[in-house]
Amino acid sequence: MNQMNQQYPGRPGQQPPTPAGMYAPPPPKKKSAGAKVGIGCGGAFGALVLIGVIAAAMGGSDAEPQAGKPGKAATAPAKGQAQGDAKPAEAEPKAKPEAARKSPADQFKAFVAKNGSANEKAAIGHVTKVQGADEQNDILDSVDIYTDFTGGMVGPHQSEGKLIASVFADWKQSKNGLVTIYDAKGEILSNGNF
């Protein structure tokens, strides 16, 4: 009988002996119970850390107010006032800078009103919206200016569109900026670099 085809009796799952001269790889090692527990505990710890990071990022709104900062709780009653007559703490109004209150279109119009010529002021009077002027990164800055002009690039107001693009370049500077002027229908009126 051929030795290669011979069946070896043995226990189930046991490999037959390797014929002489052939290399047999060692059987795969099984993970011990300690290794399994260690991996499981490490995964659980990682999950807890992840939950903690997410909770910290969300911000703890349940936290107590910081010392020195007035909260929205009622203040203690002054001398001579009854306990029920306590006055609530007044919230301090948050002062916004003047530029933050104005829209980019209003800021642009204010710049031209202060620094522009009569023709520039007349052209800027037709601007209805400025989009992207406050989001610059000097990589690829793109600003869209919408007007109430009609006719697009071949219409009668292309020169005013070029004038608006030129004035915008005086107002904002970028290493790689493009300003596009649109008419009332959303067609390109003009564009330029700034």
Side-chain angles (χ1 to χ4, degrees):
M1 184 184 245
N2 189 354
Q3 260 188 340
M4 295 299 281
N5 293 334
Q6 181 181 7
Q7 296 290 329
Y8 291 98
R11 291 180 263 176
Q14 186 178 11
Q15 295 182 354
T18 308
M22 292 187 66
Y23 172 74
K29 293 184 179 181
K30 294 183 180 179
K31 291 186 180 179
S32 66
K36 290 178 184 177
V37 169
I39 291 172
C41 290
F45 178 72
L48 288 175
V49 168
L50 181 63
I51 291 171
V53 168
I54 291 172
M58 298 290 288
S61 60
D62 296 330
E64 294 181 18
Q66 294 178 354
K69 291 188 176 181
K72 293 186 178 180
T75 58
K79 289 185 180 180
Q81 286 185 332
Q83 182 71 11
D85 294 340
K87 295 181 181 177
E90 293 181 23
E92 294 180 22
K94 293 182 180 179
K96 293 183 179 180
E98 184 177 327
R101 284 185 262 154
K102 290 183 177 180
S103 70
D106 291 337
Q107 293 174 21
F108 183 38
K109 288 179 181 181
F111 171 80
V112 175
K114 182 178 179 184
N115 303 315
S117 68
N119 289 341
E120 292 170 341
K121 291 176 185 178
I124 297 302
H126 294 275
V127 171
T128 58
K129 181 179 178 182
V130 176
Q131 187 174 9
D134 52 348
E135 304 162 0
Q136 290 186 313
N137 59 12
D138 284 338
I139 296 171
L140 179 59
D141 297 324
S142 177
V143 177
D144 298 326
I145 299 178
Y146 298 92
T147 65
D148 59 4
F149 290 126
T150 57
M153 263 187 163
V154 296
H157 300 288
Q158 185 206 16
S159 62
E160 285 95 341
K162 278 289 186 193
L163 189 60
I164 293 170
S166 173
V167 174
F168 185 83
D170 291 340
W171 182 50
K172 294 279 186 171
Q173 287 79 34
S174 173
K175 292 179 182 176
N176 191 19
L178 175 69
V179 59
T180 306
I181 316 301
Y182 295 95
D183 69 1
K185 293 182 180 180
E187 295 179 23
I188 294 178
L189 187 63
S190 181
N191 60 16
N193 295 330
F194 68 94

